[in-house]
Amino acid sequence: MNIVPVAIIVLVMVAFSQLSKRNILRLNVVAWMVIWWLAIYFALSYGINPPLPASIIGMFMFIVSLALAAYLTTSTDDMEAAKSAFVNFIINPRYALPLILVMIGLPVVSAYNVYSDMTQPPQPPLSTRTIHPPPPPSITFKGKTIDLIEDENPYRALKTDNPAEFAKHVENGRRVYFQNCVYCHGDNMAGRGIFAHGFDPIPANFRDPTTIAMLQETYLFWRIAKGGPGLPAEATPWLSAMPAWEKFLSEEEIWDVIIFMYEFTNQEPRAKEELH
Amino acid sequence: MKKKLPFYLIATVVVVLMLIALNHLWTNWDAARELSNALAEKDAAGAPMDDGGTLEYREFPVIGSRVLVWMIAELHLMFAAFVLAVPMFAVIIEFIGYYTGDKRYDDLAYEFTKLLSTSFSFTATLGAMLTFALIILYPRLMGYLVNIFSWTFLPYVLLFFAEAGFLYSYYYGWGKFSPKVHLALGIGLNIVGTGIMFIANAWLTFMNSPAGVTETGALISTWDAINNFTWMPINIHRLIANVAFGGSIAAAYGAFKFLGAKTDEERAHYDWMGYIGNFIAIIAFLPLPFAGYWLGKEIYAYSQTLGIVMMGGTFSWLFIIQAVLIGNLFLGANYYLWVSMERIEGAERYRKAIKWLLASITICFIVWATPHSLVASIEEARKMGGAHHPILGVLGVMSAKNTAVNVLILTTYLSFLLYRRGNKEATHPRASLLKNIQFGIFSVVTIFVIVLGVAGYFVDATTRIGFSVPQVLSVLFAMISIAAIDVFLFRNAKSKGEIKWGQIKARAQYALFFLAITFTWLMGLMGYVRAGLRQHYHVYGIMEDTSAHAFTPTLGFAAGVVSVTVLIFFALIAIVFWLSSLSTKKKWEPKDASDDVYGLAEEARS
C-alpha cells in the first residue's frame, strides 16, 4: 500500500467532513457523492502498490457508481435535492460562468482523452488470461497411463507410514528442483529465478497460497511432464515456456519434486475428493 | 405525459440493447453462417454418415444447430422454471389465507396462478420444439440417450398429463372446491411438477457426469445413469432457483400492473403483490449460493478436469460475470427494501443505517467480483509481476468469495429486519435485553464468518472447503435465532404508523423489473456454463461432439446468445402478462349496428 497518497485522501475527507459539520462549507448530497467517488478512485489508482490494472479499477468504480446512485435515489428528499441542485445550476444566472466552463470543459476533456488514446504507442489487445489450464482426464507418460482424476502421488502416504523413506523422496525432489527448476522458479519458489524476467508472464509463485495449494498433485504431474507444449487447445494462448520434462525426468523424479515443492512451501496438496 | 416518460425511456433502452445484441451476434455469426451454408450444401449432396452408416448431424441454416438448440432449451427451461415455481408459492400463500382467514392471500394466490395456464402451454410448446430440434439435428446423440433412458420417457409423459390435470383443475377450480380439496390439488401439482423436473434433470446431468455405463458408453444400469453424481445437486439447486426466479417474475408482474394501475386500491394491491413476489424471490435466493457451491463441489469431486475448466479455466471468467450479476441482485433487493421503507411510517429512524448496509454490500460485491488473474496490459502485468496482483490476488479465491457472500446474506437479512420493524415499537418488558442478544448473535456470527474466511488461507484445501459448512450453518443459525427472538420482541408491539400500500415510488417497481431481468440473465448464463463445461463432448468422456460446432464460443458470443434469449423470453412473458390481464378488461361493445351481430345493444336496452 502507498501510505502517502492514502493518508492525503483520508486527511482531505476528514477536512471536508469537519468543514461541513461546522457549516464553513455547505455540501449537498451530490457534492458528497462526487467527493466519495473521487476519493475511492484516487485511493484505488494511487493507494495500492503495485498499481491495479485499469480494467479492475474500471470494474470497481462501476460498482461504486452503482452503489452511490442507489444511495442517492433511496431517499426521495435526497433525490429531489440533487435534481433541484442540477436544475438550479443550469438556470440560475449566478452560475453562468461555471456553467459555461463546464460546457466548454466537457468536450475539451473528451477531446483530450481521444487525443491521448490515439497518441499512445500501439499496444497488444488485452487478454483474459486463464491461470489454471484444465488437465485432460489422463495422460500417457513413457507408455504408462497416468489417470489424473483417480491416481495419487505414490509416495505421499510415506509421510505418515514411513517418514524416513519419505525424507529420501523429499531430498531427491530437492536435487531435481535445484538442478532443473530453480533457474526460472527461483530459490525460494516465488517465481523470481534468474531467467524469470525473460518471460512474460513470469513463472508462477508457488509460495502464494492460491496456486499449488489449490491443486491436486496429479495436476502438477501433468504440468511438469507435458509442459507448455502439452497445454490444451482451448482458451489459448497459454503463454507458457515450461519444457516437457518427461523427456528429461523419470516418473519418480517428478513425483519427488512435487513432494519437495509442497514441503518447501509448507503447503498441502488438494486431496482427492470423496464422491457423494 | 410526465408519468409515461419512464415507459418510453425503458422501451428505448430495451430496443437499443436488442439492436446492440443483434448487431454483435450478426457480426460474430458471419463465420458461423458461412460454415452453416457449407454444411447445408454438403447435406444436400448427401448427409454425413459415421462408420455405421447412421446419420450423425443435420445443420440448421444461418444460426447453426447448436445456437438453435441452445436458445430453445434455455427458453424452455425458463418457462418450465416459472411454471414449477409459481404453484409452490401459490399453494403456500393460499394456505396462509386459509389458515388466517384473510381473503387477500387467497386473491393473491389466484392472481399468481392466473399467470400459469399460458405459461404452461408455452413450456409444453417449447419442450416439443426442443425435442424435435434435437431429434432432427442431433440424431446420433438422441439415439444414444433414448437407449440409456428409454424407460424414463413413459413416466415423464404420464406425469406431464397429470400435471396438466392438476394445473387446470387448480386454476379453473378456484372457489369451486372446498379449500382443503383445492389445497390438495395444489400440493399434487407441486409433487408432479417436481417429479417431471427430476426426470429431465437426470437426462441432462448424465451428459455432464455420466454413470451407470461402461467406458465405451454401454448401459449397465439405468438407475445409476439417473442417479449420477450431479443429479441430486442439480435437483436441489434448480428447485430453489426456480422459486427465486418465479418470485422475481411474479414481482415484475406486480410492478407491471402497479405502473398501469388507475385507482389507489389497484396500486395498493399490486404494490403488495410486488412486495410478496420479491420477498419470495429473496428468501429463496439467500440459500441459493450454498446450493450452487455444493453443485460446484460435486462437479470438482467428479472430475478435477471439469472442476478446473469451470472455476480456474476456460469458464472461470463467466463466474466473474456471475459475481457481478449476483452483486447486482443483492444491491437491487436491498434497494427495493430501502425505497419501500419510505412508505412505512416510523421507518425513517432506520434511514441512517442504510449507508452502513450499503457500504457492506459494496465491499462484499467488490470482493466477490475480483478475479484471481486480472485483465492487464503488458506494462501493467510487468508492474504486478504477472497476472496475479500480490494484494488483490487473495480476493480471487473461494475463501474470500464464500466470506463475501455470507456477509452479503447477513446484510440483506438485516435490511429486511429493519424493514419489518419499520412501523413497530417493541413493548416487551425485556426489549433492550432481547435487542442486545440479537445484536450479539449478529456480531459474533459476522466475526466468525470473517475469521473462518481468513483462516482458509492458512490451511490445506480440504479443510478450507470444509470451512464453508460452519460458515453457512452459523449464518442460518443467526437468521433463525434472530427471527425467533423478533417474534417475542414484537408481540403486542406498539404501532408507529401504518404501511401505506400503493404509495411506493415508481423506481422501486423498476428495481423489481431489474431483479427479474437479472435473475433471468443469470439463469441463462449459468445454464450455459453447466452445459458448456462438457466442451467437445455431448456426453462427457463418452460421446464426443464431432460436429462443426464442437468448440467453446468466446465469452462475448455466449453472452450475446444469452442476452437475445432473455429478450425473447421477456417478449413472451409480456404476452403472458397481457393474456392474464384480459380477464379483467371491459367487455367488448359494438360501435354501431353493423357491429352488433348478437343484438347486444338491443338486449342492453331491453
Side-chain angles (χ1 to χ4, degrees), chain A residues 1 65 107 142 149 159 163 221 229:
Chain A
M1 186 178 278
S65 306
K142 296 183 177 171
I149 295 169
K159 190 170 184 177
F221 189 94

Coordinates of all heavy atoms in Angstrom, one line a residue, chain A residues 1 65 107 142 149 159 163 221 229:
Chain A
M1 N 0.8 -1.2 0.0 CA 0.0 0.0 0.0 C 0.9 1.3 0.0 O 1.9 1.3 0.7 CB -0.9 0.0 1.2 CG -1.9 1.1 1.2 SD -3.0 1.0 2.7 CE -4.2 -0.2 2.1
S65 N -20.0 3.4 -8.4 CA -21.0 4.3 -9.0 C -22.4 3.8 -8.8 O -23.3 4.6 -8.5 CB -20.8 4.5 -10.5 OG -19.4 4.9 -10.8
P107 N -16.4 18.9 -23.5 CA -15.9 18.4 -24.8 C -14.4 18.5 -24.8 O -13.8 17.6 -25.5 CB -16.5 19.4 -25.8 CG -17.4 20.3 -25.1 CD -17.4 20.0 -23.6
K142 N 5.6 -41.9 -20.9 CA 6.6 -43.0 -21.3 C 5.9 -44.3 -21.4 O 6.3 -45.4 -20.8 CB 7.7 -43.1 -20.3 CG 8.5 -41.8 -20.2 CD 9.7 -41.9 -19.3 CE 10.5 -40.6 -19.4 NZ 11.5 -40.4 -18.4
I149 N -7.4 -38.1 -12.6 CA -8.6 -38.0 -11.7 C -8.4 -38.9 -10.5 O -8.6 -38.6 -9.4 CB -9.9 -38.2 -12.4 CG1 -10.1 -37.0 -13.5 CG2 -11.1 -38.2 -11.5 CD1 -11.2 -37.3 -14.5
K159 N 4.6 -40.2 4.1 CA 4.8 -39.2 5.1 C 4.4 -39.6 6.4 O 5.0 -39.2 7.5 CB 4.0 -37.9 4.6 CG 4.3 -36.7 5.4 CD 3.7 -35.5 4.8 CE 4.1 -34.2 5.6 NZ 3.6 -33.0 5.1
P163 N 8.3 -42.1 7.6 CA 8.9 -40.8 7.4 C 10.3 -40.8 6.9 O 10.7 -39.9 6.2 CB 8.8 -40.2 8.9 CG 7.7 -41.0 9.5 CD 7.7 -42.3 8.9
F221 N 1.8 -33.0 -11.8 CA 2.5 -34.1 -12.6 C 2.3 -33.8 -14.1 O 3.2 -33.8 -14.9 CB 2.0 -35.5 -12.2 CG 2.8 -36.6 -12.8 CD1 3.8 -37.1 -12.1 CD2 2.6 -37.0 -14.1 CE1 4.6 -38.1 -12.6 CE2 3.4 -38.0 -14.7 CZ 4.4 -38.5 -13.9
P229 N 4.1 -27.3 -24.2 CA 3.6 -28.0 -25.4 C 2.3 -28.9 -25.1 O 1.6 -29.1 -26.1 CB 4.7 -28.8 -25.9 CG 6.0 -28.2 -25.3 CD 5.5 -27.6 -24.0

